Amino acid sequence: MHTNKAPTITLKIPQALVSKSFWLENLTIGNRQYPRFMSAPIDGITDSPLRQLIREFCPKELLFTEMRHVACIAHKKDEKDVLFAPIEHPLCFQVSANKLDFIESAMEKILSKNVEMLNLNAGCPAKNIVKSGTGSALMANLPQLEKIIKLLTKSIDSAVPLTLKIRAGFKEKNALEVSQLAQDLGIQAIIIHPRTQPEGFTSPLDFDLVKKIKETVKIPVIFSGNVNSFTRAKLTYEKTGVDGFMVGRALYGAPWKIHEIKEESQGRKFEICTKKMLEYALKHLELASQYYGQGHGFNVFKKQVPLYIRKIEGASLMRQTLLRTQTEEEMKNLLKNELLKI
Ligand SMILES: Cc1cc2nc3c(=O)[nH]c(=O)nc-3n(C[C@H](O)[C@H](O)[C@H](O)COP(=O)(O)O)c2cc1C
C-alpha cells in the first residue's frame, strides 16, 4: 500500500559501535572531506596568528575565520581580513550580511584568496549586530535569510561549499525550520550553537533540538557549544548524533586543544608542560606582531597572554606583571625569564 506520509527516521546511536576510529573519521561537506573536529570562529581570538598555531597541532582540520560583514570586505582598503598564511588552509571564511548589497563584490574578493569554504553567520547574538538585522536576527527574518543565501550561492557559483552557522533561534526556537530551509536552498552543512540570542553563551544547550535537526536533514550537522574535552564531545554525540564538533572558547591560550581532544578519544593522555606553554605564548606574540604590526600586535596578544599561563604555579602574580607591561620587548623578556626558571 502506498502512502504519502514521509517515513519517520529514528536516530539510533549504537553505543557499542562508537568506536575509537569514529573520532578520527572525516565528514563530507560538498565534495570535500574534513576531520570531525574543527575550530570555531571567535571574533578577536581565532585570528590568523592563533589559527597558525592551531595548525601546528591539526594539519588537516578545517579552521574558520572570524565573522566579517560583506560591506567591510567589499570596501576595506586594508586587506588584513582576507590575508592568510598558506598553512591556515583548509580555511572557511565566515561572512555576515543583512542586505544584498556588497555580497557579489565581497565574494569575488574572498574567493580570490582560495578559501575552501564559505559560511554565513546567522548566529551572532551581539546587540550592535542584531539591531541591523545581521547575525542571529536573520533567523527571525526568513525571507531575508533566503534572499541572502540565494545571492551568496549565485555569487559563489559552486566554487566552494556554502555552510550556515545558526543558533537555536533568535527569540523563538526555529532552528529546525531554518535547517530545513537551508538544506532546500542548497546549504551544504549546518553548524548549530543551540542557545537562543538572549541565552548568550552560558545557558543550557538544547541537545534535543539538535537531535531533531540531525534526524530531519540529510546534510552534515556540526555542534558548537562547550566542546572543551573528549568527555563533552562524547556526551554531545550521545545526545545528538551530530557529524561534527566545533571547538571554540577551549582554544583560548590552548592552540593544542583539538589535538588534545582527539588524543583523548584514542585513550591517550595529552599533556603540555609549562615550558611548552610559555614557548607557545612567545610564538603567539611574535605571530601577532608580524600580522598586526608591532604595537597593535602586542595589544591584541595582551588579551590572550593570561590564558597561556593560567595553569602555571604563581599564575595570578605573573598575570598582573604581564598585564602591566607596556611594550612587546618587555613582555618577551618576562616570558623568557620565566622560561629560564624552568
Ligand atoms: C567572544 C566571542 C566571539 C565570537 N565570535 C564569533 C564569530 O565571529 N562568529 C561566529 O559564528 N561565532 C562566534 N562566536 C560563537 C562561537 O563560535 C561558538 O559558537 C560559541 O562560543 C559556543 O562554542 P564554545 O562553547 O566552544 O565556545 C563567538 C563567541 C565568543 C565567546
Side-chain angles (χ1 to χ4, degrees), residues 40-43 67 94 121 165 193 201 224-226 248-249 252:
I42 304 236
D43 194 27
M67 175 181 95
Q94 188 186 62
N121 180 304
K165 186 159 182 279
H193 174 203
F201 293 96
S224 173
N226 301 14
R249 286 166 290 182
Y252 286 10

PDB file of all heavy atoms in Angstrom, residues 40-43 67 94 121 165 193 201 224-226 248-249 252, ligand 1:
ATOM      1  N   ALA A  40      36.272  26.913  15.951  1.00  0.00           N
ATOM      2  CA  ALA A  40      35.144  27.842  15.808  1.00  0.00           C
ATOM      3  C   ALA A  40      35.641  29.243  15.469  1.00  0.00           C
ATOM      4  O   ALA A  40      36.770  29.596  15.790  1.00  0.00           O
ATOM      5  CB  ALA A  40      34.359  27.888  17.114  1.00  0.00           C
ATOM      6  N   PRO A  41      34.761  30.037  14.846  1.00  0.00           N
ATOM      7  CA  PRO A  41      35.115  31.447  14.690  1.00  0.00           C
ATOM      8  C   PRO A  41      34.863  32.171  16.012  1.00  0.00           C
ATOM      9  O   PRO A  41      33.769  32.079  16.560  1.00  0.00           O
ATOM     10  CB  PRO A  41      34.133  31.939  13.617  1.00  0.00           C
ATOM     11  CG  PRO A  41      33.021  30.939  13.558  1.00  0.00           C
ATOM     12  CD  PRO A  41      33.450  29.709  14.279  1.00  0.00           C
ATOM     13  N   ILE A  42      35.870  32.844  16.539  1.00  0.00           N
ATOM     14  CA  ILE A  42      35.697  33.637  17.764  1.00  0.00           C
ATOM     15  C   ILE A  42      36.328  34.992  17.491  1.00  0.00           C
ATOM     16  O   ILE A  42      37.558  35.097  17.381  1.00  0.00           O
ATOM     17  CB  ILE A  42      36.376  32.974  18.979  1.00  0.00           C
ATOM     18  CG1 ILE A  42      35.841  31.554  19.159  1.00  0.00           C
ATOM     19  CG2 ILE A  42      36.216  33.841  20.221  1.00  0.00           C
ATOM     20  CD1 ILE A  42      35.263  31.216  20.472  1.00  0.00           C
ATOM     21  N   ASP A  43      35.488  35.988  17.351  1.00  0.00           N
ATOM     22  CA  ASP A  43      35.982  37.299  16.964  1.00  0.00           C
ATOM     23  C   ASP A  43      37.015  37.808  17.966  1.00  0.00           C
ATOM     24  O   ASP A  43      36.786  37.769  19.177  1.00  0.00           O
ATOM     25  CB  ASP A  43      34.798  38.279  16.860  1.00  0.00           C
ATOM     26  CG  ASP A  43      35.210  39.541  16.144  1.00  0.00           C
ATOM     27  OD1 ASP A  43      36.141  39.476  15.323  1.00  0.00           O
ATOM     28  OD2 ASP A  43      34.615  40.600  16.427  1.00  0.00           O
ATOM     29  N   MET A  67      33.933  36.297  11.978  1.00  0.00           N
ATOM     30  CA  MET A  67      32.869  36.864  11.140  1.00  0.00           C
ATOM     31  C   MET A  67      33.245  38.260  10.612  1.00  0.00           C
ATOM     32  O   MET A  67      33.703  39.101  11.375  1.00  0.00           O
ATOM     33  CB  MET A  67      31.610  36.979  11.996  1.00  0.00           C
ATOM     34  CG  MET A  67      30.455  37.650  11.348  1.00  0.00           C
ATOM     35  SD  MET A  67      29.082  37.726  12.517  1.00  0.00           S
ATOM     36  CE  MET A  67      29.301  39.352  13.209  1.00  0.00           C
ATOM     37  N   GLN A  94      34.034  33.177   7.144  1.00  0.00           N
ATOM     38  CA  GLN A  94      32.678  33.454   7.618  1.00  0.00           C
ATOM     39  C   GLN A  94      32.287  34.904   7.346  1.00  0.00           C
ATOM     40  O   GLN A  94      32.994  35.827   7.750  1.00  0.00           O
ATOM     41  CB  GLN A  94      32.553  33.185   9.109  1.00  0.00           C
ATOM     42  CG  GLN A  94      31.083  33.289   9.533  1.00  0.00           C
ATOM     43  CD  GLN A  94      30.874  33.174  11.029  1.00  0.00           C
ATOM     44  OE1 GLN A  94      31.370  33.998  11.787  1.00  0.00           O
ATOM     45  NE2 GLN A  94      30.162  32.156  11.443  1.00  0.00           N
ATOM     46  N   ASN A 121      27.009  33.678   8.735  1.00  0.00           N
ATOM     47  CA  ASN A 121      26.675  33.741  10.154  1.00  0.00           C
ATOM     48  C   ASN A 121      25.221  34.171  10.335  1.00  0.00           C
ATOM     49  O   ASN A 121      24.839  35.268   9.939  1.00  0.00           O
ATOM     50  CB  ASN A 121      27.615  34.722  10.865  1.00  0.00           C
ATOM     51  CG  ASN A 121      27.307  34.833  12.352  1.00  0.00           C
ATOM     52  OD1 ASN A 121      26.183  35.133  12.745  1.00  0.00           O
ATOM     53  ND2 ASN A 121      28.293  34.575  13.182  1.00  0.00           N
ATOM     54  N   LYS A 165      25.871  28.966   9.867  1.00  0.00           N
ATOM     55  CA  LYS A 165      26.016  28.801  11.326  1.00  0.00           C
ATOM     56  C   LYS A 165      24.826  29.503  11.987  1.00  0.00           C
ATOM     57  O   LYS A 165      24.584  30.688  11.745  1.00  0.00           O
ATOM     58  CB  LYS A 165      27.340  29.391  11.815  1.00  0.00           C
ATOM     59  CG  LYS A 165      27.594  29.112  13.301  1.00  0.00           C
ATOM     60  CD  LYS A 165      29.089  29.249  13.628  1.00  0.00           C
ATOM     61  CE  LYS A 165      29.403  28.934  15.083  1.00  0.00           C
ATOM     62  NZ  LYS A 165      29.139  30.026  15.995  1.00  0.00           N
ATOM     63  N   HIS A 193      24.814  26.311  17.301  1.00  0.00           N
ATOM     64  CA  HIS A 193      25.122  26.608  18.703  1.00  0.00           C
ATOM     65  C   HIS A 193      23.740  26.707  19.365  1.00  0.00           C
ATOM     66  O   HIS A 193      23.065  27.736  19.227  1.00  0.00           O
ATOM     67  CB  HIS A 193      25.898  27.934  18.775  1.00  0.00           C
ATOM     68  CG  HIS A 193      26.144  28.407  20.174  1.00  0.00           C
ATOM     69  ND1 HIS A 193      26.391  29.721  20.481  1.00  0.00           N
ATOM     70  CD2 HIS A 193      26.180  27.743  21.349  1.00  0.00           C
ATOM     71  CE1 HIS A 193      26.565  29.843  21.784  1.00  0.00           C
ATOM     72  NE2 HIS A 193      26.443  28.672  22.321  1.00  0.00           N
ATOM     73  N   PHE A 201      25.903  32.872  25.953  1.00  0.00           N
ATOM     74  CA  PHE A 201      26.935  31.829  25.828  1.00  0.00           C
ATOM     75  C   PHE A 201      27.007  30.876  27.016  1.00  0.00           C
ATOM     76  O   PHE A 201      27.883  30.032  27.067  1.00  0.00           O
ATOM     77  CB  PHE A 201      28.314  32.482  25.629  1.00  0.00           C
ATOM     78  CG  PHE A 201      28.426  33.203  24.326  1.00  0.00           C
ATOM     79  CD1 PHE A 201      28.197  34.564  24.250  1.00  0.00           C
ATOM     80  CD2 PHE A 201      28.725  32.517  23.158  1.00  0.00           C
ATOM     81  CE1 PHE A 201      28.274  35.233  23.042  1.00  0.00           C
ATOM     82  CE2 PHE A 201      28.808  33.169  21.948  1.00  0.00           C
ATOM     83  CZ  PHE A 201      28.582  34.537  21.881  1.00  0.00           C
ATOM     84  N   SER A 224      28.209  23.227  17.982  1.00  0.00           N
ATOM     85  CA  SER A 224      29.110  24.207  18.600  1.00  0.00           C
ATOM     86  C   SER A 224      28.541  24.575  19.961  1.00  0.00           C
ATOM     87  O   SER A 224      27.420  25.064  20.060  1.00  0.00           O
ATOM     88  CB  SER A 224      29.203  25.444  17.705  1.00  0.00           C
ATOM     89  OG  SER A 224      29.945  26.460  18.351  1.00  0.00           O
ATOM     90  N   GLY A 225      29.325  24.366  21.001  1.00  0.00           N
ATOM     91  CA  GLY A 225      28.883  24.715  22.349  1.00  0.00           C
ATOM     92  C   GLY A 225      29.509  23.810  23.393  1.00  0.00           C
ATOM     93  O   GLY A 225      29.189  22.619  23.461  1.00  0.00           O
ATOM     94  N   ASN A 226      30.434  24.391  24.148  1.00  0.00           N
ATOM     95  CA  ASN A 226      31.065  23.707  25.290  1.00  0.00           C
ATOM     96  C   ASN A 226      31.793  22.413  24.928  1.00  0.00           C
ATOM     97  O   ASN A 226      31.945  21.544  25.786  1.00  0.00           O
ATOM     98  CB  ASN A 226      30.034  23.407  26.386  1.00  0.00           C
ATOM     99  CG  ASN A 226      29.364  24.666  26.915  1.00  0.00           C
ATOM    100  OD1 ASN A 226      29.461  25.721  26.302  1.00  0.00           O
ATOM    101  ND2 ASN A 226      28.693  24.566  28.032  1.00  0.00           N
ATOM    102  N   GLY A 248      35.504  25.978  20.421  1.00  0.00           N
ATOM    103  CA  GLY A 248      35.595  27.436  20.448  1.00  0.00           C
ATOM    104  C   GLY A 248      36.438  27.957  21.596  1.00  0.00           C
ATOM    105  O   GLY A 248      37.674  27.948  21.538  1.00  0.00           O
ATOM    106  N   ARG A 249      35.756  28.359  22.672  1.00  0.00           N
ATOM    107  CA  ARG A 249      36.472  29.022  23.763  1.00  0.00           C
ATOM    108  C   ARG A 249      37.575  28.160  24.380  1.00  0.00           C
ATOM    109  O   ARG A 249      38.503  28.684  24.980  1.00  0.00           O
ATOM    110  CB  ARG A 249      35.467  29.473  24.833  1.00  0.00           C
ATOM    111  CG  ARG A 249      34.661  30.681  24.387  1.00  0.00           C
ATOM    112  CD  ARG A 249      33.468  30.914  25.267  1.00  0.00           C
ATOM    113  NE  ARG A 249      32.456  29.885  25.093  1.00  0.00           N
ATOM    114  CZ  ARG A 249      31.291  29.846  25.711  1.00  0.00           C
ATOM    115  NH1 ARG A 249      30.990  30.783  26.573  1.00  0.00           N
ATOM    116  NH2 ARG A 249      30.418  28.884  25.487  1.00  0.00           N
ATOM    117  N   TYR A 252      41.178  29.156  23.744  1.00  0.00           N
ATOM    118  CA  TYR A 252      41.818  30.331  24.339  1.00  0.00           C
ATOM    119  C   TYR A 252      43.124  29.895  25.023  1.00  0.00           C
ATOM    120  O   TYR A 252      43.101  29.090  25.953  1.00  0.00           O
ATOM    121  CB  TYR A 252      40.947  30.946  25.440  1.00  0.00           C
ATOM    122  CG  TYR A 252      39.719  31.720  25.005  1.00  0.00           C
ATOM    123  CD1 TYR A 252      39.260  31.715  23.704  1.00  0.00           C
ATOM    124  CD2 TYR A 252      39.013  32.463  25.948  1.00  0.00           C
ATOM    125  CE1 TYR A 252      38.116  32.417  23.340  1.00  0.00           C
ATOM    126  CE2 TYR A 252      37.870  33.176  25.587  1.00  0.00           C
ATOM    127  CZ  TYR A 252      37.433  33.141  24.277  1.00  0.00           C
ATOM    128  OH  TYR A 252      36.306  33.835  23.931  1.00  0.00           O
TER     129      TYR A 252
HETATM  130  C1  LIG B   1      33.971  36.414  22.201  1.00  0.00           C
HETATM  131  C2  LIG B   1      33.254  35.524  21.222  1.00  0.00           C
HETATM  132  C3  LIG B   1      33.294  35.841  19.880  1.00  0.00           C
HETATM  133  C4  LIG B   1      32.620  35.040  18.942  1.00  0.00           C
HETATM  134  N1  LIG B   1      32.695  35.341  17.624  1.00  0.00           N
HETATM  135  C5  LIG B   1      32.033  34.571  16.718  1.00  0.00           C
HETATM  136  C6  LIG B   1      32.098  34.852  15.323  1.00  0.00           C
HETATM  137  O1  LIG B   1      32.785  35.780  14.866  1.00  0.00           O
HETATM  138  N2  LIG B   1      31.366  34.060  14.505  1.00  0.00           N
HETATM  139  C7  LIG B   1      30.603  33.006  14.958  1.00  0.00           C
HETATM  140  O2  LIG B   1      29.959  32.316  14.185  1.00  0.00           O
HETATM  141  N3  LIG B   1      30.566  32.712  16.269  1.00  0.00           N
HETATM  142  C8  LIG B   1      31.256  33.442  17.145  1.00  0.00           C
HETATM  143  N4  LIG B   1      31.223  33.106  18.463  1.00  0.00           N
HETATM  144  C9  LIG B   1      30.492  31.877  18.878  1.00  0.00           C
HETATM  145  C10 LIG B   1      31.422  30.648  18.840  1.00  0.00           C
HETATM  146  O3  LIG B   1      31.826  30.342  17.527  1.00  0.00           O
HETATM  147  C11 LIG B   1      30.732  29.407  19.429  1.00  0.00           C
HETATM  148  O4  LIG B   1      29.601  29.084  18.662  1.00  0.00           O
HETATM  149  C12 LIG B   1      30.300  29.616  20.883  1.00  0.00           C
HETATM  150  O5  LIG B   1      31.299  30.286  21.620  1.00  0.00           O
HETATM  151  C13 LIG B   1      29.977  28.282  21.561  1.00  0.00           C
HETATM  152  O6  LIG B   1      31.060  27.406  21.457  1.00  0.00           O
HETATM  153  P1  LIG B   1      32.185  27.218  22.621  1.00  0.00           P
HETATM  154  O7  LIG B   1      31.452  26.886  23.890  1.00  0.00           O
HETATM  155  O8  LIG B   1      33.014  26.070  22.100  1.00  0.00           O
HETATM  156  O9  LIG B   1      32.933  28.475  22.719  1.00  0.00           O
HETATM  157  C14 LIG B   1      31.883  33.890  19.393  1.00  0.00           C
HETATM  158  C15 LIG B   1      31.888  33.584  20.756  1.00  0.00           C
HETATM  159  C16 LIG B   1      32.552  34.383  21.674  1.00  0.00           C
HETATM  160  C17 LIG B   1      32.521  33.988  23.121  1.00  0.00           C
END
